[in-house]
Amino acid sequence: MPLEAGRTYAACMQTSIRVTAENRDALADLARDELGGATLDRALEVLLFEHRTMVAFARLAASPAESADYLAESRRLAEVDVAVRD
């Protein structure tokens, strides 16, 4: 089976994980209170994204050259003038 097909198949499957009741409840509270009643799966997805983002920013902050490149590219992109059609 090709890798992409395997990922698609795996993405639609559900599984169980073992977590403490305290962590399950904290995730449910976050999903309800901060994510508008999202599912626990969606809440976990958001937390994983936020974690990966923080790791990426920490890695960027640790490298002055990469940080300067990132900021320069951000400035260039901010200056792009794009016409929006209705």
Side-chain angles (χ1 to χ4, degrees):
M1 168 177 1
L3 183 59
E4 284 304 312
R7 284 187 184 162
T8 301
Y9 177 72
C12 68
M13 294 177 54
Q14 291 187 349
T15 187
S16 297
I17 60 172
R18 290 180 187 246
V19 297
T20 64
E22 180 181 1
N23 284 338
R24 180 206 58 218
D25 293 345
L27 186 61
D29 290 344
L30 183 139
R32 182 190 64 239
D33 299 339
E34 297 183 35
L35 300 174
T39 64
L40 296 186
D41 185 55
R42 177 67 181 137
L44 183 56
E45 184 179 345
V46 168
L47 290 174
L48 290 170
F49 173 81
E50 289 176 352
H51 171 74
R52 291 178 184 128
T53 300
M54 296 297 288
V55 168
F57 278 124
R59 196 169 36 244
L60 189 60
S63 172
E66 287 185 33
S67 184
D69 288 345
Y70 172 80
L71 291 173
E73 182 178 358
S74 294
R75 281 191 289 276
R76 282 191 303 273
L77 291 173
E79 297 299 321
V80 172
D81 187 11
V82 178
V84 177
R85 296 180 189 203
D86 289 330

CSV table of all heavy atoms in Angstrom, one decimal, residues 19-86:
chain,number,residue,atom,x,y,z
A,19,VAL,N,-5.3,7.7,29.6
A,19,VAL,CA,-4.9,9.0,30.3
A,19,VAL,C,-5.6,8.9,31.7
A,19,VAL,O,-6.6,8.2,31.8
A,19,VAL,CB,-5.4,10.2,29.5
A,19,VAL,CG1,-4.7,10.3,28.2
A,19,VAL,CG2,-6.9,10.3,29.3
A,20,THR,N,-5.1,9.7,32.6
A,20,THR,CA,-5.8,9.8,33.9
A,20,THR,C,-7.1,10.5,33.7
A,20,THR,O,-7.3,11.3,32.8
A,20,THR,CB,-4.9,10.5,34.9
A,20,THR,OG1,-4.8,11.9,34.5
A,20,THR,CG2,-3.5,9.9,35.1
A,21,ALA,N,-8.0,10.2,34.6
A,21,ALA,CA,-9.3,10.9,34.6
A,21,ALA,C,-9.1,12.4,34.7
A,21,ALA,O,-9.8,13.2,34.1
A,21,ALA,CB,-10.2,10.4,35.7
A,22,GLU,N,-8.1,12.8,35.5
A,22,GLU,CA,-7.8,14.2,35.7
A,22,GLU,C,-7.4,14.9,34.4
A,22,GLU,O,-7.9,16.0,34.0
A,22,GLU,CB,-6.7,14.4,36.7
A,22,GLU,CG,-6.3,15.8,37.0
A,22,GLU,CD,-5.1,16.0,37.9
A,22,GLU,OE1,-4.6,14.9,38.4
A,22,GLU,OE2,-4.8,17.1,38.2
A,23,ASN,N,-6.6,14.2,33.6
A,23,ASN,CA,-6.2,14.8,32.3
A,23,ASN,C,-7.3,14.7,31.3
A,23,ASN,O,-7.5,15.7,30.5
A,23,ASN,CB,-5.0,14.0,31.7
A,23,ASN,CG,-3.7,14.4,32.4
A,23,ASN,OD1,-3.6,15.5,33.0
A,23,ASN,ND2,-2.7,13.6,32.3
A,24,ARG,N,-8.1,13.7,31.3
A,24,ARG,CA,-9.3,13.6,30.4
A,24,ARG,C,-10.2,14.8,30.7
A,24,ARG,O,-10.7,15.4,29.8
A,24,ARG,CB,-10.0,12.3,30.6
A,24,ARG,CG,-11.2,12.1,29.7
A,24,ARG,CD,-12.3,11.2,30.3
A,24,ARG,NE,-12.7,11.6,31.6
A,24,ARG,CZ,-12.9,10.7,32.6
A,24,ARG,NH1,-12.8,9.4,32.4
A,24,ARG,NH2,-13.3,11.2,33.8
A,25,ASP,N,-10.5,15.0,32.0
A,25,ASP,CA,-11.4,16.0,32.4
A,25,ASP,C,-10.9,17.4,32.1
A,25,ASP,O,-11.6,18.3,31.6
A,25,ASP,CB,-11.7,15.9,33.9
A,25,ASP,CG,-12.5,14.7,34.2
A,25,ASP,OD1,-13.1,14.0,33.3
A,25,ASP,OD2,-12.6,14.4,35.4
A,26,ALA,N,-9.5,17.6,32.2
A,26,ALA,CA,-8.9,18.9,31.9
A,26,ALA,C,-9.0,19.2,30.4
A,26,ALA,O,-9.3,20.3,30.0
A,26,ALA,CB,-7.5,18.9,32.4
A,27,LEU,N,-8.8,18.1,29.6
A,27,LEU,CA,-8.9,18.3,28.1
A,27,LEU,C,-10.4,18.6,27.8
A,27,LEU,O,-10.7,19.4,26.9
A,27,LEU,CB,-8.5,17.0,27.5
A,27,LEU,CG,-8.4,17.0,25.9
A,27,LEU,CD1,-7.4,18.1,25.4
A,27,LEU,CD2,-8.0,15.6,25.4
A,28,ALA,N,-11.3,17.9,28.4
A,28,ALA,CA,-12.8,18.2,28.2
A,28,ALA,C,-13.1,19.6,28.5
A,28,ALA,O,-13.9,20.3,27.8
A,28,ALA,CB,-13.6,17.2,28.9
A,29,ASP,N,-12.6,20.1,29.7
A,29,ASP,CA,-12.9,21.5,30.1
A,29,ASP,C,-12.3,22.4,29.1
A,29,ASP,O,-13.0,23.4,28.7
A,29,ASP,CB,-12.2,21.8,31.5
A,29,ASP,CG,-12.9,21.0,32.6
A,29,ASP,OD1,-14.1,20.5,32.4
A,29,ASP,OD2,-12.3,20.9,33.7
A,30,LEU,N,-11.1,22.2,28.6
A,30,LEU,CA,-10.5,23.1,27.6
A,30,LEU,C,-11.3,23.1,26.3
A,30,LEU,O,-11.6,24.1,25.7
A,30,LEU,CB,-9.1,22.6,27.3
A,30,LEU,CG,-8.3,23.5,26.3
A,30,LEU,CD1,-6.9,23.6,26.8
A,30,LEU,CD2,-8.3,22.9,24.9
A,31,ALA,N,-11.7,21.9,25.9
A,31,ALA,CA,-12.5,21.7,24.7
A,31,ALA,C,-13.8,22.5,24.8
A,31,ALA,O,-14.3,23.2,23.9
A,31,ALA,CB,-12.8,20.3,24.4
A,32,ARG,N,-14.5,22.4,26.0
A,32,ARG,CA,-15.8,23.1,26.2
A,32,ARG,C,-15.6,24.6,26.3
A,32,ARG,O,-16.3,25.4,25.7
A,32,ARG,CB,-16.4,22.5,27.4
A,32,ARG,CG,-17.8,23.1,27.7
A,32,ARG,CD,-18.3,22.7,29.1
A,32,ARG,NE,-17.5,23.2,30.1
A,32,ARG,CZ,-16.8,22.4,31.0
A,32,ARG,NH1,-17.0,21.1,31.0
A,32,ARG,NH2,-16.1,23.0,32.0
A,33,ASP,N,-14.7,25.0,27.2
A,33,ASP,CA,-14.6,26.4,27.6
A,33,ASP,C,-13.8,27.3,26.6
A,33,ASP,O,-14.0,28.5,26.5
A,33,ASP,CB,-13.9,26.5,29.0
A,33,ASP,CG,-14.7,25.8,30.1
A,33,ASP,OD1,-15.9,25.6,29.9
A,33,ASP,OD2,-14.2,25.5,31.1
A,34,GLU,N,-12.7,26.7,26.0
A,34,GLU,CA,-11.8,27.5,25.2
A,34,GLU,C,-12.0,27.2,23.7
A,34,GLU,O,-11.5,28.0,22.9
A,34,GLU,CB,-10.4,27.4,25.7
A,34,GLU,CG,-10.2,27.8,27.1
A,34,GLU,CD,-8.8,27.7,27.5
A,34,GLU,OE1,-7.9,28.0,26.7
A,34,GLU,OE2,-8.5,27.4,28.7
A,35,LEU,N,-12.6,26.1,23.4
A,35,LEU,CA,-12.6,25.8,21.9
A,35,LEU,C,-14.1,25.6,21.5
A,35,LEU,O,-14.4,24.8,20.5
A,35,LEU,CB,-11.8,24.5,21.7
A,35,LEU,CG,-10.3,24.6,22.0
A,35,LEU,CD1,-9.6,23.2,21.9
A,35,LEU,CD2,-9.6,25.6,21.1
A,36,GLY,N,-15.0,26.2,22.2
A,36,GLY,CA,-16.4,26.2,21.7
A,36,GLY,C,-17.1,24.9,21.7
A,36,GLY,O,-17.9,24.7,20.8
A,37,GLY,N,-16.7,24.0,22.6
A,37,GLY,CA,-17.4,22.7,22.6
A,37,GLY,C,-16.8,21.7,21.6
A,37,GLY,O,-17.5,20.8,21.2
A,38,ALA,N,-15.5,21.9,21.3
A,38,ALA,CA,-14.9,21.0,20.3
A,38,ALA,C,-14.8,19.6,20.9
A,38,ALA,O,-14.9,19.4,22.1
A,38,ALA,CB,-13.5,21.5,20.0
A,39,THR,N,-14.6,18.6,20.0
A,39,THR,CA,-14.4,17.3,20.5
A,39,THR,C,-13.0,17.2,21.2
A,39,THR,O,-12.1,18.0,21.1
A,39,THR,CB,-14.3,16.3,19.3
A,39,THR,OG1,-13.2,16.6,18.5
A,39,THR,CG2,-15.6,16.3,18.5
A,40,LEU,N,-12.8,16.1,22.0
A,40,LEU,CA,-11.5,15.9,22.6
A,40,LEU,C,-10.4,15.7,21.6
A,40,LEU,O,-9.3,16.1,21.8
A,40,LEU,CB,-11.6,14.7,23.6
A,40,LEU,CG,-12.5,14.8,24.8
A,40,LEU,CD1,-12.4,13.6,25.7
A,40,LEU,CD2,-12.4,16.1,25.5
A,41,ASP,N,-10.8,15.0,20.5
A,41,ASP,CA,-9.8,14.8,19.4
A,41,ASP,C,-9.4,16.2,18.9
A,41,ASP,O,-8.2,16.4,18.7
A,41,ASP,CB,-10.4,14.0,18.3
A,41,ASP,CG,-9.4,13.6,17.2
A,41,ASP,OD1,-8.4,13.1,17.6
A,41,ASP,OD2,-9.7,13.9,16.1
A,42,ARG,N,-10.3,17.1,18.6
A,42,ARG,CA,-9.9,18.4,18.1
A,42,ARG,C,-9.1,19.2,19.1
A,42,ARG,O,-8.2,19.9,18.8
A,42,ARG,CB,-11.2,19.2,17.7
A,42,ARG,CG,-11.0,20.6,17.3
A,42,ARG,CD,-10.2,20.6,15.9
A,42,ARG,NE,-10.0,22.0,15.5
A,42,ARG,CZ,-8.9,22.5,15.0
A,42,ARG,NH1,-7.9,21.7,14.8
A,42,ARG,NH2,-8.8,23.7,14.7
A,43,ALA,N,-9.5,19.1,20.4
A,43,ALA,CA,-8.7,19.8,21.5
A,43,ALA,C,-7.3,19.3,21.5
A,43,ALA,O,-6.4,20.1,21.6
A,43,ALA,CB,-9.4,19.6,22.8
A,44,LEU,N,-7.1,18.0,21.4
A,44,LEU,CA,-5.8,17.4,21.4
A,44,LEU,C,-5.0,17.9,20.2
A,44,LEU,O,-3.8,18.2,20.2
A,44,LEU,CB,-5.8,15.9,21.4
A,44,LEU,CG,-4.5,15.2,21.5
A,44,LEU,CD1,-3.7,15.6,22.7
A,44,LEU,CD2,-4.7,13.7,21.6
A,45,GLU,N,-5.7,18.0,19.0
A,45,GLU,CA,-5.1,18.4,17.8
A,45,GLU,C,-4.6,19.9,18.0
A,45,GLU,O,-3.4,20.2,17.6
A,45,GLU,CB,-6.1,18.4,16.6
A,45,GLU,CG,-5.6,18.7,15.3
A,45,GLU,CD,-6.6,18.6,14.2
A,45,GLU,OE1,-7.7,18.0,14.4
A,45,GLU,OE2,-6.4,19.2,13.1
A,46,VAL,N,-5.4,20.7,18.6
A,46,VAL,CA,-5.0,22.1,18.8
A,46,VAL,C,-3.8,22.2,19.8
A,46,VAL,O,-2.8,22.9,19.5
A,46,VAL,CB,-6.2,22.9,19.4
A,46,VAL,CG1,-5.8,24.3,19.9
A,46,VAL,CG2,-7.3,23.1,18.4
A,47,LEU,N,-3.8,21.4,20.8
A,47,LEU,CA,-2.7,21.4,21.8
A,47,LEU,C,-1.4,20.9,21.1
A,47,LEU,O,-0.3,21.5,21.4
A,47,LEU,CB,-3.0,20.5,23.0
A,47,LEU,CG,-4.1,21.1,23.9
A,47,LEU,CD1,-4.4,20.1,25.0
A,47,LEU,CD2,-3.6,22.4,24.5
A,48,LEU,N,-1.5,19.9,20.3
A,48,LEU,CA,-0.3,19.4,19.6
A,48,LEU,C,0.2,20.5,18.6
A,48,LEU,O,1.4,20.7,18.5
A,48,LEU,CB,-0.6,18.1,18.8
A,48,LEU,CG,-0.8,16.9,19.7
A,48,LEU,CD1,-1.4,15.8,18.9
A,48,LEU,CD2,0.4,16.5,20.5
A,49,PHE,N,-0.7,21.2,17.9
A,49,PHE,CA,-0.2,22.2,17.0
A,49,PHE,C,0.4,23.4,17.8
A,49,PHE,O,1.5,23.9,17.4
A,49,PHE,CB,-1.4,22.8,16.2
A,49,PHE,CG,-1.1,24.0,15.4
A,49,PHE,CD1,-0.5,23.9,14.2
A,49,PHE,CD2,-1.4,25.3,15.9
A,49,PHE,CE1,-0.2,25.0,13.4
A,49,PHE,CE2,-1.1,26.4,15.2
A,49,PHE,CZ,-0.4,26.3,13.9
A,50,GLU,N,-0.2,23.8,18.9
A,50,GLU,CA,0.4,24.8,19.7
A,50,GLU,C,1.8,24.4,20.3
A,50,GLU,O,2.7,25.2,20.3
A,50,GLU,CB,-0.5,25.2,20.9
A,50,GLU,CG,-1.7,25.9,20.4
A,50,GLU,CD,-2.7,26.2,21.5
A,50,GLU,OE1,-2.6,25.7,22.6
A,50,GLU,OE2,-3.7,27.0,21.2
A,51,HIS,N,1.9,23.2,20.7
A,51,HIS,CA,3.2,22.7,21.2
A,51,HIS,C,4.3,22.7,20.1
A,51,HIS,O,5.4,23.2,20.3
A,51,HIS,CB,3.1,21.3,21.7
A,51,HIS,CG,4.4,20.6,22.0
A,51,HIS,ND1,5.2,21.0,23.1
A,51,HIS,CD2,5.1,19.7,21.4
A,51,HIS,CE1,6.3,20.3,23.1
A,51,HIS,NE2,6.3,19.5,22.0
A,52,ARG,N,3.9,22.2,18.9
A,52,ARG,CA,4.9,22.2,17.8
A,52,ARG,C,5.3,23.6,17.4
A,52,ARG,O,6.4,23.9,17.0
A,52,ARG,CB,4.3,21.5,16.6
A,52,ARG,CG,4.2,20.0,16.8
A,52,ARG,CD,3.5,19.3,15.7
A,52,ARG,NE,3.3,17.8,16.0
A,52,ARG,CZ,2.2,17.2,15.8
A,52,ARG,NH1,1.1,17.8,15.4
A,52,ARG,NH2,2.1,15.9,16.1
A,53,THR,N,4.3,24.5,17.4
A,53,THR,CA,4.6,25.9,17.1
A,53,THR,C,5.6,26.5,18.1
A,53,THR,O,6.5,27.2,17.7
A,53,THR,CB,3.3,26.8,17.1
A,53,THR,OG1,2.4,26.2,16.1
A,53,THR,CG2,3.5,28.2,16.8
A,54,MET,N,5.4,26.3,19.4
A,54,MET,CA,6.3,26.8,20.4
A,54,MET,C,7.7,26.2,20.3
A,54,MET,O,8.7,26.9,20.4
A,54,MET,CB,5.7,26.4,21.8
A,54,MET,CG,4.4,27.1,22.1
A,54,MET,SD,4.6,28.9,22.2
A,54,MET,CE,5.5,29.2,23.7
A,55,VAL,N,7.8,24.9,19.9
A,55,VAL,CA,9.1,24.3,19.7
A,55,VAL,C,9.8,24.9,18.5
A,55,VAL,O,11.0,25.2,18.5
A,55,VAL,CB,8.9,22.8,19.4
A,55,VAL,CG1,10.2,22.1,18.9
A,55,VAL,CG2,8.5,22.1,20.7
A,56,ALA,N,9.0,25.2,17.4
A,56,ALA,CA,9.6,25.8,16.2
A,56,ALA,C,10.1,27.3,16.6
A,56,ALA,O,11.2,27.6,16.1
A,56,ALA,CB,8.6,25.9,15.1
A,57,PHE,N,9.3,28.0,17.3
A,57,PHE,CA,9.7,29.4,17.7
A,57,PHE,C,11.0,29.3,18.6
A,57,PHE,O,11.8,30.2,18.5
A,57,PHE,CB,8.6,30.2,18.3
A,57,PHE,CG,7.7,30.8,17.3
A,57,PHE,CD1,6.3,30.5,17.4
A,57,PHE,CD2,8.1,31.6,16.3
A,57,PHE,CE1,5.4,31.1,16.5
A,57,PHE,CE2,7.3,32.2,15.4
A,57,PHE,CZ,5.9,31.9,15.5
A,58,ALA,N,11.0,28.4,19.5
A,58,ALA,CA,12.2,28.2,20.4
A,58,ALA,C,13.4,27.9,19.6
A,58,ALA,O,14.5,28.5,19.8
A,58,ALA,CB,11.9,27.2,21.5
A,59,ARG,N,13.3,27.0,18.6
A,59,ARG,CA,14.4,26.7,17.7
A,59,ARG,C,14.8,27.9,16.9
A,59,ARG,O,16.0,28.2,16.8
A,59,ARG,CB,14.0,25.6,16.8
A,59,ARG,CG,15.1,24.8,16.1
A,59,ARG,CD,14.7,23.6,15.4
A,59,ARG,NE,13.4,23.5,14.8
A,59,ARG,CZ,12.4,22.7,15.1
A,59,ARG,NH1,12.6,21.9,16.1
A,59,ARG,NH2,11.3,22.8,14.5
A,60,LEU,N,13.9,28.7,16.5
A,60,LEU,CA,14.2,29.9,15.7
A,60,LEU,C,14.9,30.9,16.6
A,60,LEU,O,15.8,31.6,16.2
A,60,LEU,CB,12.9,30.5,15.2
A,60,LEU,CG,12.9,31.6,14.2
A,60,LEU,CD1,13.7,31.2,12.9
A,60,LEU,CD2,11.5,32.1,13.8
A,61,ALA,N,14.4,31.1,17.8
A,61,ALA,CA,15.0,32.1,18.7
A,61,ALA,C,16.4,31.7,19.1
A,61,ALA,O,17.2,32.5,19.4
A,61,ALA,CB,14.1,32.2,20.0
A,62,ALA,N,16.7,30.4,19.0
A,62,ALA,CA,18.1,29.9,19.4
A,62,ALA,C,19.1,30.2,18.3
A,62,ALA,O,20.3,30.0,18.5
A,62,ALA,CB,18.1,28.5,19.7
A,63,SER,N,18.6,30.6,17.1
A,63,SER,CA,19.5,30.8,16.0
A,63,SER,C,19.3,32.3,15.5
A,63,SER,O,18.3,32.5,14.7
A,63,SER,CB,19.2,29.8,14.8
A,63,SER,OG,19.9,30.2,13.7
A,64,PRO,N,20.2,33.2,15.8
A,64,PRO,CA,20.0,34.6,15.4
A,64,PRO,C,20.0,34.7,13.9
A,64,PRO,O,19.2,35.5,13.4
A,64,PRO,CB,21.3,35.2,16.0
A,64,PRO,CG,21.7,34.4,17.1
A,64,PRO,CD,21.3,33.0,16.7
A,65,ALA,N,20.8,33.9,13.1
A,65,ALA,CA,20.7,34.0,11.7
A,65,ALA,C,19.4,33.6,11.1
A,65,ALA,O,18.8,34.3,10.2
A,65,ALA,CB,21.9,33.2,11.1
A,66,GLU,N,18.9,32.5,11.6
A,66,GLU,CA,17.5,32.0,11.1
A,66,GLU,C,16.5,33.0,11.5
A,66,GLU,O,15.5,33.2,10.8
A,66,GLU,CB,17.2,30.6,11.6
A,66,GLU,CG,18.1,29.5,10.9
A,66,GLU,CD,17.7,28.2,11.4
A,66,GLU,OE1,16.5,27.9,11.6
A,66,GLU,OE2,18.6,27.3,11.4
A,67,SER,N,16.6,33.5,12.7
A,67,SER,CA,15.6,34.5,13.2
A,67,SER,C,15.6,35.8,12.3
A,67,SER,O,14.5,36.3,11.9
A,67,SER,CB,15.9,34.9,14.6
A,67,SER,OG,14.9,35.7,15.2
A,68,ALA,N,16.8,36.2,11.9
A,68,ALA,CA,16.9,37.4,11.1
A,68,ALA,C,16.3,37.1,9.7
A,68,ALA,O,15.6,37.9,9.1
A,68,ALA,CB,18.3,37.8,10.9
A,69,ASP,N,16.5,35.9,9.2
A,69,ASP,CA,16.0,35.5,7.9
A,69,ASP,C,14.4,35.5,8.0
A,69,ASP,O,13.7,35.9,7.1
A,69,ASP,CB,16.5,34.1,7.4
A,69,ASP,CG,17.9,34.2,7.0
A,69,ASP,OD1,18.5,35.3,6.8
A,69,ASP,OD2,18.5,33.1,6.9
A,70,TYR,N,13.9,34.9,9.0
A,70,TYR,CA,12.5,34.8,9.2
A,70,TYR,C,11.9,36.2,9.3
A,70,TYR,O,10.8,36.5,8.6
A,70,TYR,CB,12.2,34.0,10.5
A,70,TYR,CG,10.7,34.1,10.9
A,70,TYR,CD1,9.8,33.2,10.3
A,70,TYR,CD2,10.3,34.9,11.9
A,70,TYR,CE1,8.5,33.2,10.6
A,70,TYR,CE2,8.9,34.9,12.2
A,70,TYR,CZ,8.0,34.1,11.6
A,70,TYR,OH,6.7,34.1,11.9
A,71,LEU,N,12.5,37.1,10.0
A,71,LEU,CA,11.9,38.4,10.2
A,71,LEU,C,12.0,39.2,8.8
A,71,LEU,O,11.0,39.9,8.5
A,71,LEU,CB,12.6,39.2,11.3
A,71,LEU,CG,12.4,38.7,12.7
A,71,LEU,CD1,13.3,39.4,13.7
A,71,LEU,CD2,10.9,38.8,13.1
A,72,ALA,N,13.1,39.0,8.1
A,72,ALA,CA,13.2,39.7,6.8
A,72,ALA,C,12.1,39.2,5.8
A,72,ALA,O,11.5,40.0,5.1
A,72,ALA,CB,14.6,39.5,6.2
A,73,GLU,N,11.9,37.9,5.8
A,73,GLU,CA,10.9,37.3,4.9
A,73,GLU,C,9.5,37.8,5.4
A,73,GLU,O,8.7,38.1,4.5
A,73,GLU,CB,11.0,35.8,5.0
A,73,GLU,CG,9.9,35.1,4.0
A,73,GLU,CD,10.0,33.6,4.0
A,73,GLU,OE1,10.9,33.0,4.7
A,73,GLU,OE2,9.2,33.0,3.3
A,74,SER,N,9.3,37.9,6.7
A,74,SER,CA,8.0,38.4,7.2
A,74,SER,C,7.7,39.8,6.7
A,74,SER,O,6.6,40.1,6.3
A,74,SER,CB,7.9,38.3,8.7
A,74,SER,OG,8.0,37.0,9.1
A,75,ARG,N,8.7,40.6,6.8
A,75,ARG,CA,8.6,42.0,6.3
A,75,ARG,C,8.3,42.1,4.8
A,75,ARG,O,7.4,42.8,4.4
A,75,ARG,CB,9.9,42.8,6.7
A,75,ARG,CG,9.9,43.2,8.1
A,75,ARG,CD,11.1,44.2,8.3
A,75,ARG,NE,12.4,43.6,8.2
A,75,ARG,CZ,13.0,43.0,9.2
A,75,ARG,NH1,12.4,42.9,10.4
A,75,ARG,NH2,14.2,42.5,9.1
A,76,ARG,N,9.0,41.2,4.0
A,76,ARG,CA,8.7,41.2,2.6
A,76,ARG,C,7.3,40.8,2.3
A,76,ARG,O,6.6,41.4,1.5
A,76,ARG,CB,9.7,40.3,1.9
A,76,ARG,CG,11.1,40.8,1.7
A,76,ARG,CD,11.9,40.0,0.7
A,76,ARG,NE,12.1,38.6,1.2
A,76,ARG,CZ,13.0,38.2,2.0
A,76,ARG,NH1,13.9,39.0,2.5
A,76,ARG,NH2,13.1,36.9,2.3
A,77,LEU,N,6.8,39.8,3.0
A,77,LEU,CA,5.5,39.3,2.8
A,77,LEU,C,4.4,40.3,3.2
A,77,LEU,O,3.4,40.4,2.6
A,77,LEU,CB,5.2,38.0,3.5
A,77,LEU,CG,6.0,36.8,2.9
A,77,LEU,CD1,5.8,35.6,3.8
A,77,LEU,CD2,5.5,36.4,1.5
A,78,ALA,N,4.7,41.0,4.3
A,78,ALA,CA,3.8,42.1,4.8
A,78,ALA,C,3.6,43.2,3.8
A,78,ALA,O,2.6,43.9,3.7
A,78,ALA,CB,4.3,42.6,6.1
A,79,GLU,N,4.6,43.4,2.9
A,79,GLU,CA,4.6,44.5,1.9
A,79,GLU,C,4.0,44.1,0.6
A,79,GLU,O,3.8,44.9,-0.3
A,79,GLU,CB,6.0,45.0,1.7
A,79,GLU,CG,6.7,45.6,2.9
A,79,GLU,CD,5.9,46.8,3.4
A,79,GLU,OE1,5.4,47.6,2.6
A,79,GLU,OE2,5.8,46.9,4.7
A,80,VAL,N,3.6,42.8,0.5
A,80,VAL,CA,3.0,42.4,-0.8
A,80,VAL,C,1.7,43.0,-0.9
A,80,VAL,O,0.8,43.0,0.0
A,80,VAL,CB,2.9,40.8,-0.8
A,80,VAL,CG1,2.1,40.4,-2.0
A,80,VAL,CG2,4.2,40.2,-0.8
A,81,ASP,N,1.4,43.6,-2.1
A,81,ASP,CA,0.2,44.3,-2.4
A,81,ASP,C,-0.6,43.4,-3.3
A,81,ASP,O,-0.3,43.2,-4.5
A,81,ASP,CB,0.4,45.6,-3.0
A,81,ASP,CG,-0.8,46.4,-3.2
A,81,ASP,OD1,-1.9,46.0,-2.6
A,81,ASP,OD2,-0.8,47.5,-3.9
A,82,VAL,N,-1.6,42.8,-2.8
A,82,VAL,CA,-2.4,41.8,-3.6
A,82,VAL,C,-3.8,42.4,-3.7
A,82,VAL,O,-4.5,42.7,-2.7
A,82,VAL,CB,-2.5,40.4,-2.9
A,82,VAL,CG1,-3.4,39.5,-3.6
A,82,VAL,CG2,-1.1,39.9,-2.7
A,83,ALA,N,-4.3,42.4,-4.9
A,83,ALA,CA,-5.6,42.9,-5.2
A,83,ALA,C,-6.6,41.8,-4.9
A,83,ALA,O,-6.4,40.6,-5.4
A,83,ALA,CB,-5.8,43.4,-6.7
A,84,VAL,N,-7.7,42.1,-4.2
A,84,VAL,CA,-8.7,41.0,-3.8
A,84,VAL,C,-9.9,41.3,-4.7
A,84,VAL,O,-10.4,42.4,-4.8
A,84,VAL,CB,-9.0,41.1,-2.4
A,84,VAL,CG1,-10.1,40.1,-2.0
A,84,VAL,CG2,-7.8,40.9,-1.5
A,85,ARG,N,-10.3,40.3,-5.4
A,85,ARG,CA,-11.5,40.4,-6.3
A,85,ARG,C,-12.7,39.9,-5.5
A,85,ARG,O,-12.7,38.9,-4.8
A,85,ARG,CB,-11.3,39.6,-7.5
A,85,ARG,CG,-10.2,40.1,-8.4
A,85,ARG,CD,-10.1,39.2,-9.6
A,85,ARG,NE,-8.9,39.6,-10.3
A,85,ARG,CZ,-8.7,39.3,-11.6
A,85,ARG,NH1,-9.6,38.8,-12.3
A,85,ARG,NH2,-7.5,39.7,-12.2
A,86,ASP,N,-13.8,40.6,-5.7
A,86,ASP,CA,-15.1,40.2,-5.1
A,86,ASP,C,-15.8,39.1,-5.9
A,86,ASP,O,-15.7,39.0,-7.0
A,86,ASP,CB,-16.0,41.4,-4.9
A,86,ASP,CG,-15.5,42.3,-3.8
A,86,ASP,OD1,-14.8,41.8,-2.9
A,86,ASP,OD2,-15.8,43.5,-4.0
